[in-house]
Structure formats: structure tokens, C-alpha cells
């Protein structure tokens, strides 16, 4: 059952990646499904209450990051929804993996923008980084230990 839930979370994260790349949006229903499945993992591990308390504690911190325009609203909700996916002791690893993946995604976005600028193709106007991709990649690293 544990592995089945991990596969479902992975499929949901792939949906997040696709919508974040093409629409720059992370749908609330996807985040809710991921949160409920993550909570199911925490229940199976026996640390659901602890994970919920940590998630609630992270809400103000992530809210401030959203208000400062450092994260999008969907990114904040997704990160909170993924807190129960790993044991509390693994949260630092999860967040560091997300940060490293975020650096790679941001670098790829800058490179793409530079290529468009040099070749003169497409608008290089105000672009955002699809950070849901980085959140999913960091989560995959923690779930599957690549």
C-alpha cells in the first residue's frame, strides 16, 4: 500500500509539472490530492500528527515568502502539501533537494531566455520560473533516492 501511494503521488507530481510548465499554474485539486495521499503515508508511518503540526508551523513562513513574491501561491500550497510525504527528520533533505533542483530549473530558464534573446525568436518579456518543477524534482529525489 505504501509503494502504491508513492506511485500515485508521483503521477500527481507529473501532472503538476506539466501544468506548471504550460500554464504556470498549479491546480488546487492536485495539491489537495497530493496532501491527502501524503497524509496517508504519514498515517502508515505513524507520524501523521507530527507532520500536520510541522505543516501548520510552516504556513506562516511560506506565506511571508509568497507575500514577498519569492514563491507563487501554488508553489507554497504544494510545499505544504508535501510536508507529510517524508518523515519529519527528512524535511531538511527535502527542502535542500528542492532548493538544488530550483537552482537548476532557474538556470535552465535563464539559458532559455538567453537563447531566445540571441536568436531573436519569441518574446523575452516577463517570464516566471516554473518552481513546481523543482518541487517535484526535489520530492522525487527524496522518494526514490536517485
Amino acid at each position: 500500500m505504501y509503494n502504491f501511494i508513492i506511485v500515485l503521488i508521483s503521477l500527481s507530481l507529473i501532472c503538476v509539472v506539466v501544468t506548471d510548465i504550460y500554464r504556470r499554474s498549479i491546480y488546487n485539486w492536485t495539491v489537495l490530492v497530493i496532501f491527502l495521499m501524503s497524509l496517508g503515508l504519514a498515517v502508515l508511518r505513524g507520524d501523521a500528527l507530527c507532520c500536520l503540526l510541522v505543516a501548520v508551523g510552516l504556513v506562516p513562513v511560506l506565506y511571508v515568502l509568497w507575500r514577498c513574491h519569492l514563491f507563487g501561491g501554488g508553489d507554497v500550497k504544494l510545499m505544504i502539501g508535501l510536508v507529510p510525504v517524508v518523515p519529519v527528520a527528512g524535511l531538511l533533505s527535502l527542502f535542500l533537494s528542492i532548493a538544488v533542483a530550483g537552482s537548476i530549473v532557474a538556470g535552465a530558464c535563464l539559458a532559455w531566455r538567453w537563447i531566445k534573446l540571441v536568436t531573436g525568436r519569441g518574446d523575452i518579456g516577463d517570464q516566471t520560473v516554473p518552481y513546481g518543477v523543482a518541487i517535484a524534482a526535489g520530492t522525487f529525489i527524496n522518494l526514490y533516492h536517485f
Side-chain angles (χ1 to χ4, degrees):
M1 183 62 142
Y2 190 85
N3 290 335
F4 179 70
I5 294 174
I6 287 178
V7 169
L8 291 177
I9 290 171
S10 299
L11 292 172
S12 298
L13 285 172
I14 290 170
C15 180
V16 164
V17 167
V18 170
T19 60
D20 200 20
I21 288 173
Y22 289 108
R23 297 200 173 124
R24 292 296 195 268
S25 181
I26 298 173
Y27 298 126
N28 291 337
W29 66 268
T30 311
V31 173
L32 180 62
V33 167
I34 289 171
F35 177 69
L36 292 175
M37 288 188 289
S38 297
L39 199 54
L41 285 181
V43 167
L44 291 174
R45 279 193 318 264
D47 63 348
L49 181 60
C50 189
C51 287
L52 278 176
L53 291 174
V54 170
V56 168
L58 283 174
V59 168
V61 174
L62 292 171
Y63 176 77
V64 169
L65 293 174
W66 172 69
R67 293 296 294 171
C68 293
H69 302 286
L70 297 173
F71 283 109
D75 302 329
V76 167
K77 290 181 279 189
L78 183 60
M79 288 181 72
I80 291 169
L82 285 169
V83 166
V85 85
V86 295
V88 174
L91 281 177
L92 181 60
S93 173
L94 176 66
F95 291 143
L96 287 176
S97 298
I98 290 170
V100 169
S103 300
I104 294 168
V105 170
C109 287
L110 283 173
W112 180 250
R113 187 175 179 163
W114 182 79
I115 289 169
K116 286 171 57 174
L117 178 68
V118 169
T119 60
R121 295 184 180 166
D123 180 30
I124 61 164
D126 196 23
Q127 293 180 333
T128 60
V129 175
Y131 210 75
V133 175
I135 295 169
T139 304
F140 287 143
I141 290 168
N142 276 271
L143 288 178
Y144 297 108
H145 304 288
F146 289 132

